[in-house]
Amino acid sequence: MVIDEVKCRENIAAMALRIRRAGLQFRPHFKTHQSLRIGEWFREEGVEAITVSSFAMALYFVRTGWKNITVAIPFSPLEIDAIHAVAANAKLNLVTATVEAVEGLGPLLRYPVSLWIKVDAGYGRAGVPPAEAETIYKILETAARFPHISIAGLLGHAGQSYQARNQKDILKVHENSMAIVKQLRESYSSAIPNLKISMGDTPTCSLATSWPGVDELRPGNFAFYDLQQSQITSCTDAQIAVALACPIIDVRRDRSEVIVHGGSVHFSKDWLKDEEGQLTFGYVAEKKSDGWGSVNRQARMRSLSQEHGILQVPSAELNQYKPGGWVYILPVHSCLAAESMAHYHGLSGKSYDHFKTGYRQ
Amino acid sequence: MVIDEVKCRENIAAMALRIRRAGLQFRPHFKTHQSLRIGEWFREEGVEAITVSSFAMALYFVRTGWKNITVAIPFSPLEIDAIHAVAANAKLNLVTATVEAVEGLGPLLRYPVSLWIKVDAGYGRAGVPPAEAETIYKILETAARFPHISIAGLLGHAGQSYQARNQKDILKVHENSMAIVKQLRESYSSAIPNLKISMGDTPTCSLATSWPGVDELRPGNFAFYDLQQSQITSCTDAQIAVALACPIIDVRRDRSEVIVHGGSVHFSKDWLKDEEGQLTFGYVAEKKSDGWGSVNRQARMRSLSQEHGILQVPSAELNQYKPGGWVYILPVHSCLAAESMAHYHGLSGKSYDHFKTGYRQ
């Protein structure tokens, strides 16, 4: 996985500026890059609070001095040892949607933690749905029994923004999801006047300009962006900051296909549907002396097996591909490709760490 | 990822016995488990030659004394440094389907290597197709110019066996793919009388009993098996030797769903279609004191996002799931789940290494 540091830093700076201007706390999700080194680029933009997706990942960042961390997946009391380890060294914000988890955790805690109550902001995956708002009361009551737990507020994730296909629809998701969460807060405002609201998926954060009533935003993917974000219009192709450099292992003229060493162990297996409805796992990008250029949507990765990828290429372009050469392919979902590769090279050959494998050559 | 060592060792022993009885060389593909420790279980069954899917993985196994390794993806001359590193320490067997790769590699080699010519045994992915058999001649001629290259033979992979849905169809693939490769060998028998044949995907190796004219077999997945193999009848559910232990983070009674911490970063994203044609990413298996038992195909992982999995569960069974608990889920494709988790725990808590992350706690 090759990272274009300039593009990545520009993405980070642009999002930091946008959120700072709107007056919100920027708590970027580090599950996308999972890198101490890339984390430093956020720090240079004034970021001090972060989001991660596991306690082990939190500990990785605690090492280099991150002191304010939200683990944005509902915790399990089974993870108590890891919770202790993080909470002993940083301000730890937990997320839950169930009374049972809080009841299980409360008696085990040794250090203070903050608790976000996850609410379903219309995505329909996890979180308390508005129709069961009494669960929020029960969580608040339960949490109040444990002195180590303080309440942060309501946390939502408008993942339905990924179903949108244009800016108008993304902004509609933005409005609706904020309205759901704010209405929930309204119902508790007499009992608990200071509930904060945390939101933030990459599509809405990339396109919205104001978040009235929201306190913090947690986008992650925007640091790299990818073909999926470009397809749903939350970024341009030029903002995509990572690509996979794949060796060409065969050119099949009979089928107008190029076979590359780049499969599901490298890209993972998220797909998009192209304009003709065909499953697509990546597109080739133009190779330039200083990175990659425009995206060639005619050169489509049409299938992935474990180690092989098959590119469907216009026959007139086949001559550009030679066994023994290599090609840039942009990923459909950069978070999963980064997780799969677990390491980065800069355009100038520098090496960047990833949580999963740490520093390596 | 939890591994049932007893089941895994039984799978290895059964395959070793089957191949030994048929009088062939057993060269198991280690890309499935990628573990030094699990590799030792193969060694105890008399295995001395192995297959891997990258040069870095080959080096991982060279460390613990594996001396005869096939890297079963067509090489790129760009990988010359890694080729040197392996070939200096082990008998290295390379795979190619192009003249260009051999021309590029030949002048760079410092140590002897063996070369398998990859032929398309009907899968239609990589390899020289029978209709272009003259490419084989050209590869043989080119290789002959370089003293470090000796010719091993023809290597095929009948990946189309994964499209089969019953034993009869798998055995048909077995017959057809062997026939294609043997006919290719026949055409070269006067020029090169000793070309060997290497075959071996898990479905055909699990069901066939004889491989007339074939010299070695390279199955890999069979060590773990998975739901995909069970669906296409190459194993039983009881032979599946790995499962993911996923914390339950929410139970959504309104939707009859259970939300687990187990997403595409854990399972990867291969799917199967269940009997009703629904995309399925895993099934729950019964929790027993000594591992897992029968597979509950009514408790289906219906979707995966990065960290979350959503189980569709019959409402009558919902009471068995509690937030704070955990559940065994069998993977659709164990190779990719193992690659994603990059670590194993035994049923008794032992820890097993994986190439991607080495030994860790």
Side-chain angles (χ1 to χ4, degrees):
Chain A
M1 176 166 264
V2 181
I3 181 165
D4 184 324
E5 180 171 335
V6 172
K7 288 180 183 172
C8 182
R9 281 178 177 272
E10 281 174 2
N11 293 340
I12 296 168
M15 187 63 81
L17 178 65
R18 161 190 297 275
I19 295 177
R20 196 160 57 233
R21 276 192 181 147
L24 279 78
Q25 159 99 310
F26 181 26
R27 184 187 283 280
H29 208 316
F30 275 20
K31 76 173 174 183
T32 299
H33 61 82
Q34 304 185 37
S35 168
L36 300 180
R37 184 149 175 183
I38 298 172
E40 294 306 309
W41 305 346
F42 284 83
R43 197 145 23 202
E44 291 172 26
E45 293 295 331
V47 171
E48 291 182 355
I50 64 172
T51 307
V52 297
S53 56
S54 71
F55 294 101
M57 203 188 294
L59 274 173
Y60 188 65
F61 287 103
V62 161
R63 274 199 226 173
T64 46
W66 292 96
K67 287 288 186 196
N68 186 340
I69 302 182
T70 297
V71 179
I73 184 160
F75 70 88
S76 162
L78 296 169
E79 300 171 286
I80 185 63
D81 292 344
I83 291 172
H84 287 328
V86 180
N89 293 290
K91 174 168 166 42
L92 172 59
N93 308 290
L94 298 176
V95 170
T96 191
T98 71
V99 175
E100 292 91 332
V102 182
E103 270 174 344
L105 180 72
L108 307 176
L109 282 172
R110 283 194 218 132
Y111 306 95
V113 298
S114 274
L115 190 64
W116 290 98
I117 300 172
K118 179 151 187 172
V119 296
D120 184 348
Y123 183 23
R125 183 182 66 179
V128 181
E132 297 178 16
E134 72 281 4
T135 302
I136 296 179
Y137 257 123
K138 288 185 198 149
I139 292 174
L140 292 170
E141 275 173 14
T142 308
R145 287 166 31 208
F146 303 108
H148 279 322
I149 304 181
S150 61
I151 294 294
L154 305 179
L155 179 142
H157 172 68
Q160 68 270 37
S161 63
Y162 285 81
Q163 308 305 320
R165 284 294 174 274
N166 58 59
Q167 310 207 354
K168 201 177 124 210
D169 288 351
I170 289 174
L171 291 172
K172 209 178 288 169
V173 168
H174 171 60
E175 296 298 333
N176 293 345
S177 58
M178 282 199 308
I180 292 171
V181 182
K182 285 197 285 186
Q183 195 175 343
L184 274 172
R185 172 168 63 185
E186 206 54 40
S187 359
Y188 296 95
S189 62
S190 57
I192 306 183
N194 298 319
L195 281 182
K196 290 193 170 172
I197 291 181
S198 173
M199 301 288 290
D201 52 292
T202 281
T204 65
C205 289
S206 297
L207 297 178
T209 49
S210 75
W211 292 264
V214 174
D215 297 279
E216 73 164 27
L217 296 174
R218 314 178 317 278
N221 175 282
F222 73 90
F224 293 165
Y225 284 123
D226 52 33
L227 293 174
Q228 185 180 39
Q229 297 287 350
S230 171
Q231 188 185 44
I232 68 177
T233 70
S234 45
C235 71
T236 65
D237 286 351
Q239 288 175 293
I240 299 173
V242 290
L244 273 78
C246 298
I248 296 168
I249 55 182
D250 205 349
V251 177
R252 303 279 346 128
R253 300 193 165 278
D254 52 329
R255 306 193 304 253
S256 207
E257 287 176 352
V258 173
I259 302 170
V260 297
H261 189 176
S264 48
V265 302
H266 309 101
F267 285 85
S268 187
K269 216 160 174 174
D270 259 357
W271 64 87
L272 55 82
K273 285 194 175 165
D274 72 4
E275 288 185 358
E276 291 163 31
Q278 304 175 109
L279 284 196
T280 300
F281 299 91
Y283 289 119
V284 173
E286 183 196 3
K287 220 157 118 183
K288 298 172 70 173
S289 58
D290 59 343
W292 57 90
S294 58
V295 178
N296 180 359
R297 285 187 167 69
Q298 303 308 308
R300 178 175 76 88
M301 182 122 76
R302 72 156 180 80
S303 86
L304 279 184
S305 48
Q306 196 162 343
E307 297 273 345
H308 298 74
I310 299 190
L311 296 169
Q312 189 78 53
V313 173
S315 53
E317 295 177 11
L318 267 184
N319 281 333
Q320 300 166 25
Y321 300 86
K322 307 274 182 214
W326 62 276
V327 66
Y328 278 125
I329 302 178
L330 300 189
V332 167
H333 187 172
S334 60
C335 308
L336 290 187
E339 161 88 19
S340 298
M341 292 307 300
H343 191 68
Y344 308 93
H345 290 282
L347 288 169
S348 56
K350 265 192 285 192
S351 201
Y352 301 75
D353 67 295
H354 185 283
F355 156 61
K356 198 156 176 187
T357 57
Y359 276 100
R360 66 173 188 200
Q361 199 36 51
Chain B
M1 176 165 265
V2 181
I3 180 164
D4 184 323
E5 180 171 335
V6 172
K7 287 181 183 171
C8 181
R9 281 179 177 271
E10 282 174 1
N11 293 340
I12 295 168
M15 188 65 81
L17 178 65
R18 162 190 296 275
I19 295 176
R20 197 160 57 232
R21 275 192 183 147
L24 280 78
Q25 158 100 309
F26 181 27
R27 184 186 285 278
H29 208 317
F30 276 20
K31 77 174 174 183
T32 299
H33 61 82
Q34 303 185 38
S35 168
L36 300 180
R37 184 149 174 184
I38 298 172
E40 293 306 310
W41 305 346
F42 284 83
R43 193 136 37 192
E44 291 172 26
E45 292 295 330
V47 170
E48 291 181 355
I50 64 173
T51 307
V52 297
S53 55
S54 71
F55 295 101
M57 202 187 296
L59 274 174
Y60 188 65
F61 287 103
V62 161
R63 274 199 226 172
T64 47
W66 292 97
K67 287 288 185 196
N68 187 339
I69 302 181
T70 296
V71 179
I73 184 158
F75 70 88
S76 162
L78 295 169
E79 300 170 286
I80 186 63
D81 291 344
I83 291 172
H84 287 330
V86 181
N89 293 289
K91 173 167 167 43
L92 172 59
N93 307 289
L94 298 175
V95 170
T96 191
T98 71
V99 174
E100 291 92 330
V102 181
E103 271 174 345
L105 180 72
L108 306 175
L109 281 172
R110 282 194 220 132
Y111 306 95
V113 298
S114 272
L115 190 65
W116 290 99
I117 300 173
K118 180 152 186 172
V119 296
D120 184 348
Y123 184 23
R125 182 181 67 181
V128 181
E132 297 178 16
E134 72 282 5
T135 302
I136 296 179
Y137 257 124
K138 288 186 198 148
I139 292 174
L140 292 170
E141 275 174 15
T142 308
R145 287 165 32 207
F146 302 108
H148 279 323
I149 304 180
S150 61
I151 294 293
L154 305 179
L155 178 142
H157 172 68
Q160 68 271 36
S161 63
Y162 285 81
Q163 308 305 321
R165 285 294 173 273
N166 57 59
Q167 309 206 356
K168 201 178 124 208
D169 288 351
I170 290 174
L171 291 172
K172 209 179 288 170
V173 167
H174 171 60
E175 296 299 332
N176 293 345
S177 58
M178 282 200 308
I180 291 171
V181 182
K182 285 197 285 186
Q183 195 174 345
L184 274 171
R185 172 168 62 184
E186 205 55 39
S187 358
Y188 297 95
S189 62
S190 56
I192 306 183
N194 299 318
L195 280 182
K196 288 192 171 173
I197 291 181
S198 173
M199 301 288 289
D201 52 291
T202 280
T204 64
C205 288
S206 298
L207 297 178
T209 49
S210 74
W211 293 263
V214 174
D215 298 280
E216 73 165 26
L217 295 174
R218 314 178 317 276
N221 176 282
F222 73 90
F224 293 165
Y225 284 123
D226 53 33
L227 293 173
Q228 184 180 40
Q229 298 287 350
S230 172
Q231 188 185 44
I232 68 176
T233 70
S234 45
C235 71
T236 65
D237 286 350
Q239 288 174 294
I240 299 174
V242 290
L244 274 77
C246 298
I248 296 168
I249 55 182
D250 205 349
V251 178
R252 302 281 346 130
R253 300 192 166 278
D254 53 328
R255 305 193 305 252
S256 208
E257 287 176 353
V258 173
I259 302 170
V260 297
H261 188 177
S264 48
V265 302
H266 308 103
F267 285 86
S268 187
K269 217 163 174 173
D270 259 357
W271 65 86
L272 55 82
K273 285 194 176 166
D274 72 4
E275 287 185 358
E276 291 161 31
Q278 304 174 108
L279 284 197
T280 300
F281 299 91
Y283 289 119
V284 173
E286 183 196 3
K287 219 157 118 183
K288 298 173 71 175
S289 59
D290 59 342
W292 57 90
S294 59
V295 179
N296 180 358
R297 286 187 165 70
Q298 303 307 308
R300 178 176 76 87
M301 182 122 77
R302 72 157 180 79
S303 86
L304 279 184
S305 47
Q306 198 163 341
E307 297 274 345
H308 298 73
I310 299 190
L311 297 170
Q312 188 79 53
V313 173
S315 53
E317 295 177 11
L318 267 184
N319 281 332
Q320 301 166 25
Y321 301 85
K322 308 272 182 214
W326 62 276
V327 66
Y328 278 124
I329 301 178
L330 301 190
V332 168
H333 188 172
S334 61
C335 307
L336 291 186
E339 162 88 20
S340 299
M341 293 306 300
H343 191 69
Y344 308 92
H345 290 283
L347 287 170
S348 56
K350 265 191 287 192
S351 200
Y352 302 74
D353 68 295
H354 185 283
F355 155 60
K356 199 156 175 186
T357 57
Y359 275 100
R360 68 173 187 200
Q361 198 35 51

